[in-house]
Amino acid sequence: MSAAAIAVEAVPFGSRSAAILGQGDHALFGISTGNSYFSRRRLAHAISWAVERFAEVDVIHADLHVEGMYQALGYEHADARRSATKQLRGVRRRIQGALEDVGHAAERVRSRPLSAFVEEPAYQEVRMRTRDALRVDMELRAARDGMAYQFLSKRLTPGASPTAAQMQTALDYVNAELPFFVDSPSILGVDSSVHCYHSVLALGRLLFGGREAGLRPNDNQGYAVVVACRD
């Protein structure tokens, strides 16, 4: 699959992101069970674009707290495990299919679950940084809470308010992903990295929006809106 033959638009977000995008060191794609945008076709196009422009590419799928979310939504333990397993299997199948469609170039792409990093010292160090920041950075906490609420609102019946248990599970889900917004180069062992997503998430808007105080991404961490073809 040739990136030249498909429509992929990448728009850097943040003052340093254009330069980091131009360096072409590393691109990161995060895929979650609730993200339907990156279908197999779109993901294949986005990866094809990335492997022609970056020295390294990572695709990381969020597999933490999925079962807990189903339990918080009222599923019995066995049903929650079954549903989480099904959802994660679908995400892995979508990623694997996209890599197969990319062809030989996909050999340079690393595909891993988020759970593979939780015991890694580099991830733990950045996770500690974000955890400490969330205690005192009210803007950061509000953006994090907003993302967690949005994540939940898609799964609750219209007009329903999340319970404390549901909200905590959603917060755990977002907390686990936050380090990759801040310092994925340290976690993934690359010189610089662009976090690629199809929209500007609330955390991305805050962290890369030029704030002068509070938690900010490392100087070698960028963000870009990457829009592939429509299915």
Side-chain angles (χ1 to χ4, degrees), residues 171-225:
L171 291 173
D172 291 340
Y173 189 94
V174 178
N175 287 343
E177 296 183 344
L178 180 54
F180 290 97
F181 286 84
V182 177
D183 191 4
S184 55
S186 291
I187 298 170
L188 298 168
V190 294
D191 290 335
S192 67
S193 178
V194 179
H195 190 117
C196 300
Y197 201 66
H198 68 278
S199 64
V200 182
L201 293 166
L203 281 171
R205 188 169 301 280
L206 174 68
L207 293 170
F208 295 89
R211 67 193 316 229
E212 297 181 357
L215 183 69
R216 283 167 287 182
N218 277 26
D219 290 344
N220 58 349
Q221 176 70 65
Y223 191 103
V225 177

Side-chain angles (χ1 to χ4, degrees), residues 11 22 42 47 73 136 142 170 191:
V11 180
R42 285 178 175 148
I47 293 172
L73 291 172
V136 297
D191 290 335

Side-chain angles (χ1 to χ4, degrees), residues 29-53:
F29 293 89
I31 311 296
S32 67
T33 57
N35 177 10
S36 61
Y37 177 82
F38 279 120
S39 63
R40 172 174 173 165
R41 185 185 180 201
R42 285 178 175 148
L43 185 57
H45 287 184
I47 293 172
S48 293
W49 164 83
V51 294
E52 290 196 7
R53 287 161 176 79

Side-chain angles (χ1 to χ4, degrees), residues 95-171:
I95 295 170
Q96 183 58 39
L99 293 174
E100 291 172 0
D101 293 344
V102 170
H104 179 72
E107 293 178 1
R108 295 197 292 109
V109 180
R110 295 181 295 188
S111 176
R112 289 172 284 180
L114 181 53
S115 60
F117 297 93
V118 295
E119 299 298 327
E120 294 292 328
Y123 175 86
Q124 292 178 345
E125 190 279 326
V126 183
R127 180 72 185 87
M128 185 177 297
R129 249 194 288 160
T130 60
R131 186 183 294 113
D132 291 343
L134 284 165
R135 295 192 183 103
V136 297
D137 189 334
M138 296 301 103
E139 271 192 315
L140 179 67
R141 189 184 300 178
R144 186 275 314 263
D145 291 358
M147 277 187 60
Y149 185 85
Q150 184 179 32
F151 177 81
L152 271 176
S153 65
K154 298 175 182 178
R155 292 158 174 79
L156 298 174
T157 56
S161 296
T163 65
Q166 289 169 343
M167 194 65 188
Q168 185 57 57
T169 304
L171 291 173

Side-chain angles (χ1 to χ4, degrees), residues 72-113:
L73 291 172
Y75 286 64
E76 295 296 331
H77 179 73
D79 291 335
R81 173 167 293 183
R82 189 178 304 111
S83 295
T85 299
K86 180 180 179 181
Q87 287 290 320
L88 291 170
R89 186 185 300 121
V91 169
R92 295 185 185 108
R93 186 184 303 118
R94 193 193 324 164
I95 295 170
Q96 183 58 39
L99 293 174
E100 291 172 0
D101 293 344
V102 170
H104 179 72
E107 293 178 1
R108 295 197 292 109
V109 180
R110 295 181 295 188
S111 176
R112 289 172 284 180

